[in-house]
Amino acid sequence: MKFRTIIAAAATAVFATMAQAEEMKMSVTTSFANSGLAEVLLPEIEKDTGITVQLLVVGTGQALKLGAEGDVDAVLVHAKAAEEKWLAEGNGTHRREIMYNDFIFVGPSDDPAGAAKADKATGALQAIAAAQAPFVSRGDDSGTHKMELSLWKAAGIEPQGDWYRAVGQGMGAALNTASGMNAYIMSDRASWLKFANKGDLKLVFEGDPVLFNQYAFLPVNPAKHPHVKNDLANKLEAWLVSDRAKALIDGYMLNGEKLFTFNAKAE
Amino acid sequence: MNDILQGMARAARLVVTLDADLVEITALSLQVSLGAAVIASAIGLPLGAWLAINRFPARRVVIAVLNALMGLPPVVVGLIVYVLFSRSGPLGALGLLFTPTVMVIAQVIIITPIVASVSHQAIRELWADYHDLLISLKANRLQRIVTLLWDGRRALMTASLAGFGRGVGEVGAIMIVGGNIDHATRVLTTAIALETGKGAFDMALALGFVLIGLAISVNLALHFLSRTERGSRW
Amino acid sequence: MVSGMIVLEGVELRRGGRVIVGPVSLTLGAEGITMVMGPNGAGKTTLLRALHGLERLSSGQIRWAGNGNALRERQAFVFQTPVLMRRSALDSIAYPLRLRGVKRAEARERAAACAEQVGLRVNLKKEVSDLSGGEKQKMAMARALILEPALLFLDEPSANLDGRSTREIEEILNRIRAGGTRIVMSTHDIGQARRLADDVVFLHDGKLAEQGPSAAFFDAPQSSQAQAYLKGDIVL
Ligand SMILES: Nc1ncnc2c1ncn2[C@@H]1O[C@H](COP(=O)(O)OP(=O)(O)OP(=O)(O)O)[C@@H](O)[C@H]1O
Ligand SMILES: [Mg+2]
């Protein structure tokens, strides 16, 4: 009767339950997850507050949508305009700025378009467009993609043509594509530093203040979704703006570089 | 080529050291996909048998639908299940989104048509052999199905394993409904997608090799157990 | 005539636009062994299957009169090609009992006894697919006998058997006939037909060519087809 034993064993596997702690769900953007900061913060949060934060790593659009539908308890993203619209629709209680990091331009190591010589981000884009050098765009409506589009607009260029490739994927996949094509791409610094498949790519442009990228924490509105764990979200927010968080965020280094700057204001 | 060798070495290292994260996501992969395969078999095997031995007007339509569902992209299934189980969806009150349970549900939808279709094929052949005998012995409908399922169990196990194989290697649906949450809903395939995204191909490949090894082990284990059950060929 | 009988009235079976049997009208008595004979393709198998209820009649009807109804309830059929279940010989023979709710252990015990009766003396744990042709036929025979049918159909039951096994089967048939079981069977073995038959139904090209008591049929066949068939066999 081995056959029945197999079925019984498999059935037990299905109904095996998972340990239940005090858990909350937070949607974050790929760029934040890729930075590796989460791996430093989450264990500390759990230690200090007893909350297990489950991260849903998605694009900015989806991160906000998950909050709007009540599928997560809080959102941590970096797209101010979209966040404010989201709040205006009654999806969250408020917006709390936590920290910022920055975007950079990456391109072929010989920099055929001469983007490195530009003194502004828009100038770098103009150089790339003028050279018709291959450029990979996320094309996925993420915060990074929106930022890229606003920069093209500021540069007075409508990016289109053979050289402009919108891949419709996350940062990692887009970087893989750029590496394969030896193309220019805009990336958040963390994703780039953590990226292991650099190929012939290198950092070509950085430092323009327009490339700064503000992260904000947004608790989901319990008036709209009564089941959300607003108390846990508030506890988490209190921790995120604390001195302890400041020390961890400002002290976080990747390959010897500082990635994030804590800028939460006391209430 | 270098990536592949590195991946293999890394996979070996992870397995030998019983890396805690690896064990956790492998266990979840196994739990979700075996669970889905068991449930899909409980539905799909009798359904396949039923379709093989009964003639009713809509039979052809049902078979056509089944075959069409087999080719359904998992992402689409994932999306539908996601919308259903989202807090704002019709089943949102259950609070199952981003849990292993909903991953099982999505996979059941994906693999049941495969299990049913493969078992339908197998049972149809067996039914052609057994038809006269079962009618002659006046076996009722239930007895016919039970007999065919039992005597066809080796072929049916292949059907279930085909379902398991598709489930365990599936990433589209499980990513959407599970959310790939570390220590909660991360399985081998979603971890591979994640590592690929980071450009960490050696790690992604290592996990890929573990996945292949897992699929082979499950197949071998089941076939071995079913063979020792009765010392004859299968 | 004895009470209790099977009456065929204008029975006809058409398949693929062709008449394969019929129209056949005949009456089968309540006792004895009826031998259905005729050349290959004459319609013997089809007729037996129709009687057993496995074939849909295109026209005509089969009436079960008197005791016939009792026969109808308890029939068994030994097919020309044995149906091989994916089971051991023992479990194959026990299968009809299992369908009727007999517990596994008891069913197996009775199956073993039944196998012994038909002279199936092999390791019964073997899968039926591993049996020899003759052993398969005996397995099928045992499977049909295990429910002690009142009406037994056999379609060329000894086609693959050697002389000794054929004799064994014939002994069993004679024994259960003596026990009151009604037997309707087909065979190409004229010797066997002579030894067993009480009466003969001779088919040719789907039509009833001749029907009558065994002795009369073999000594003085009336139809030219039966004469030719019997002669052809003797010449061989
Ligand atoms: N389902 C069917 N469709 C079409 N033709 C059929 C079908 N079943 C039987 N036949 C034909 O009917 C005829 C009678 O077949 P049957 O099997 O009854 O012959 P038989 O007398 O048993 O022959 P044999 O001695 O070879 O066993 C054959 O010509 C056969 O080809
Ligand atoms: Mg025949």
Side-chain angles (χ1 to χ4, degrees):
Chain A
M1 290 303 89
K2 296 254 168 48
F3 207 73
R4 285 178 195 164
T5 324
I6 296 167
I7 291 174
T12 336
V14 191
F15 298 110
T17 45
M18 318 251 319
Q20 290 288 322
E22 207 173 21
E23 287 170 351
M24 66 170 284
K25 292 190 169 74
M26 175 163 79
S27 53
V28 300
T29 59
T30 329
S31 45
F32 174 69
N34 280 353
S35 71
L37 180 59
E39 276 133 63
V40 173
L41 298 185
L42 293 188
E44 297 302 323
I45 291 170
E46 187 155 0
K47 227 186 287 167
D48 294 349
T49 65
I51 302 171
T52 306
V53 182
Q54 298 189 336
L55 290 189
L56 282 136
V57 182
V58 290
T60 305
Q62 204 192 338
L64 288 170
K65 186 152 165 60
L66 285 174
E69 312 257 278
D71 290 323
V72 292
D73 304 303
V75 179
L76 182 68
V77 290
H78 51 87
K80 191 167 182 188
E83 290 160 28
E84 277 165 351
K85 179 161 172 279
W86 184 82
L87 278 174
E89 286 161 358
N91 294 313
T93 52
H94 61 283
R95 173 174 184 275
R96 189 81 186 265
E97 298 193 339
I98 306 288
M99 62 195 173
Y100 65 86
N101 68 347
D102 67 339
F103 289 110
I104 53 167
F105 290 121
V106 167
S109 57
D110 59 350
D111 190 14
K117 291 191 287 276
D119 49 356
K120 288 173 124 340
T122 46
L125 286 181
Q126 281 156 352
I128 292 165
Q132 305 246 312
F135 183 96
V136 170
S137 164
R138 289 276 293 271
D140 62 350
D141 209 26
S142 60
T144 307
H145 182 221
K146 283 178 180 151
M147 165 73 103
E148 178 212 315
L149 290 180
S150 74
L151 287 174
W152 283 114
K153 206 165 162 202
I157 294 166
E158 177 98 16
Q160 50 183 244
D162 248 6
W163 58 278
Y164 185 79
R165 307 276 170 85
V167 292
Q169 300 205 58
M171 197 70 247
L175 279 167
N176 274 330
T177 309
S179 167
M181 290 170 48
N182 210 22
Y184 287 92
I185 183 169
M186 189 183 94
S187 168
D188 60 285
R189 186 183 294 271
S191 296
W192 167 247
L193 284 176
K194 274 226 154 179
F195 187 63
N197 180 35
K198 292 191 169 74
D200 193 38
L201 297 184
K202 66 161 197 174
L203 193 160
V204 294
F205 184 87
E206 62 184 326
D208 185 338
V210 304
L211 293 176
F212 288 173
N213 184 33
Q214 180 67 50
Y215 278 86
F217 179 79
L218 306 125
V220 173
N221 189 355
K224 184 174 177 191
H225 294 292
H227 65 268
V228 299
K229 298 169 178 166
N230 187 249
D231 49 334
L232 295 187
N234 288 334
K235 248 163 114 179
L236 176 62
E237 179 183 336
W239 188 93
L240 281 172
V241 302
S242 67
D243 287 345
R244 176 136 175 75
K246 178 176 164 55
L248 287 166
I249 291 169
D250 284 341
Y252 180 63
M253 298 282 209
L254 193 57
N255 298 353
E257 289 191 44
K258 182 182 169 197
L259 277 184
F260 291 92
T261 307
F262 180 89
N263 69 340
K265 294 182 200 70
E267 295 246 89
Chain B
M1 197 58 222
N2 197 27
D3 274 334
I4 292 182
L5 290 179
Q6 270 178 9
M8 281 183 157
R10 184 129 187 205
R13 206 157 52 236
L14 288 173
V15 170
V16 169
T17 59
L18 278 179
D19 179 85
D21 283 346
L22 178 75
V23 170
E24 187 183 354
I25 61 176
T26 306
L28 188 62
S29 270
L30 206 56
Q31 185 184 334
V32 167
S33 297
L34 269 187
V38 168
I39 295 170
S41 300
I43 304 168
L45 299 181
L47 177 63
W50 177 262
L51 288 174
I53 73 174
N54 283 293
R55 321 223 143 247
F56 52 94
R59 198 177 72 102
R60 279 182 188 287
V61 179
V62 175
I63 292 172
V65 169
L66 220 52
N67 286 335
L69 286 179
M70 264 209 304
L72 206 61
V75 225
V76 175
V77 175
L79 211 54
I80 293 168
V81 173
Y82 177 98
V83 169
L84 287 177
F85 283 89
S86 166
R87 283 289 182 174
S88 308
L91 300 172
L94 298 174
L96 287 177
L97 194 62
F98 306 134
T99 64
T101 308
V102 80
M103 295 157 79
V104 172
I105 292 171
Q107 291 210 331
V108 165
I109 296 172
I110 292 168
I111 69 185
T112 298
I114 296 165
V115 175
S117 190
V118 176
S119 72
H120 170 240
Q121 205 73 29
I123 294 290
R124 203 171 54 181
E125 279 168 31
L126 200 58
W127 174 234
D129 282 3
Y130 279 24
H131 176 272
D132 287 351
L133 180 70
L134 294 184
I135 303 285
S136 170
L137 291 174
K138 297 194 183 121
N140 64 35
R141 262 165 216 277
L142 181 65
Q143 288 174 326
R144 289 178 206 173
I145 291 186
V146 170
T147 299
L148 292 169
L149 289 179
W150 179 250
D151 284 14
R153 60 194 178 279
R154 298 220 166 82
L156 297 179
M157 194 157 75
T158 311
S160 296
L161 284 174
F164 169 76
R166 173 141 155 132
V168 80
E170 182 275 322
V171 62
I174 219 167
M175 178 72 97
I176 296 179
V177 303
N180 191 24
I181 301 173
D182 202 7
H183 303 304
T185 59
R186 181 162 300 164
V187 294
L188 281 169
T189 51
T190 55
I192 290 169
L194 183 72
E195 295 300 332
T196 308
K198 290 188 201 160
F201 292 156
D202 60 337
M203 186 63 183
L205 277 167
L207 292 170
F209 290 126
V210 172
L211 181 62
I212 293 169
L214 181 70
I216 293 176
S217 316
V218 168
N219 273 273
L220 283 180
L222 283 187
H223 271 149
F224 177 74
L225 284 175
S226 80
R227 189 143 72 136
T228 50
E229 175 202 1
R230 185 171 290 164
S232 80
R233 58 185 171 216
W234 38 280
Chain C
M1 268 255 167
V2 212
S3 71
M5 52 190 82
I6 313 166
V7 184
L8 285 75
E9 291 168 349
V11 165
E12 188 173 278
L13 291 100
R14 288 183 293 270
R15 295 289 179 271
R18 203 168 67 86
V19 176
I20 58 175
V21 163
V24 171
S25 296
L26 62 84
T27 299
L28 298 175
E31 288 172 353
I33 298 181
T34 297
M35 201 61 71
V36 179
M37 301 188 71
N40 289 133
K44 303 180 293 297
T45 298
T46 309
L47 182 67
L48 292 181
R49 288 170 59 89
L51 283 167
H52 188 49
L54 282 175
E55 296 285 344
R56 184 174 37 82
L57 305 186
S58 305
S59 57
Q61 60 168 329
I62 297 174
R63 280 196 298 116
W64 301 75
N67 287 349
N69 276 317
L71 297 183
R72 190 179 186 181
E73 290 308 309
R74 292 173 50 212
Q75 322 176 32
F77 201 110
V78 179
F79 296 97
Q80 185 164 8
T81 326
V83 176
L84 307 179
M85 300 184 80
R86 315 291 192 267
R87 301 186 174 207
S88 69
L90 190 64
D91 285 341
S92 295
I93 298 171
Y95 179 69
L97 292 176
R98 300 282 294 141
L99 280 184
R100 276 153 190 77
V102 178
K103 292 266 170 299
R104 186 189 306 269
E106 187 197 335
R108 281 185 172 162
E109 212 167 287
R110 284 167 62 182
C114 198
E116 177 61 33
Q117 241 183 50
V118 300
L120 179 57
R121 294 179 197 92
V122 290
N123 175 8
L124 295 176
K125 293 257 155 61
K126 273 208 267 192
E127 294 285 313
V128 279
S129 54
D130 292 343
L131 300 179
S132 77
E135 288 162 355
K136 283 173 186 158
Q137 219 142 17
K138 289 182 188 171
M139 176 281 301
M141 182 91 178
R143 184 170 57 198
L145 290 179
I146 199 156
L147 288 177
E148 297 170 357
L151 170 57
L152 177 62
F153 293 98
L154 302 107
D155 198 358
E156 300 189 33
S158 49
N160 281 314
L161 300 185
D162 60 23
R164 175 173 161 214
S165 298
T166 303
R167 286 310 168 107
E168 275 176 359
I169 295 289
E170 287 178 12
E171 273 165 34
I172 294 166
L173 293 180
N174 272 321
R175 196 167 66 233
I176 63 173
R177 174 192 181 283
T181 300
R182 181 71 172 93
I183 295 172
V184 181
M185 62 185 284
S186 73
T187 186
H188 284 291
D189 178 344
I190 291 176
Q192 176 173 65
R194 277 182 193 275
R195 288 191 294 277
L196 292 176
D198 290 300
D199 61 327
V200 175
V201 169
F202 189 84
L203 295 179
H204 187 271
D205 209 6
K207 305 262 186 310
L208 179 64
E210 194 169 340
Q211 182 195 13
S214 165
F217 177 82
F218 289 110
D219 294 344
Q222 300 298 300
S223 61
S224 57
Q225 295 98 329
Q227 286 165 7
Y229 179 78
L230 292 173
K231 204 155 75 201
D233 191 79
I234 291 161
V235 170
L236 267 170

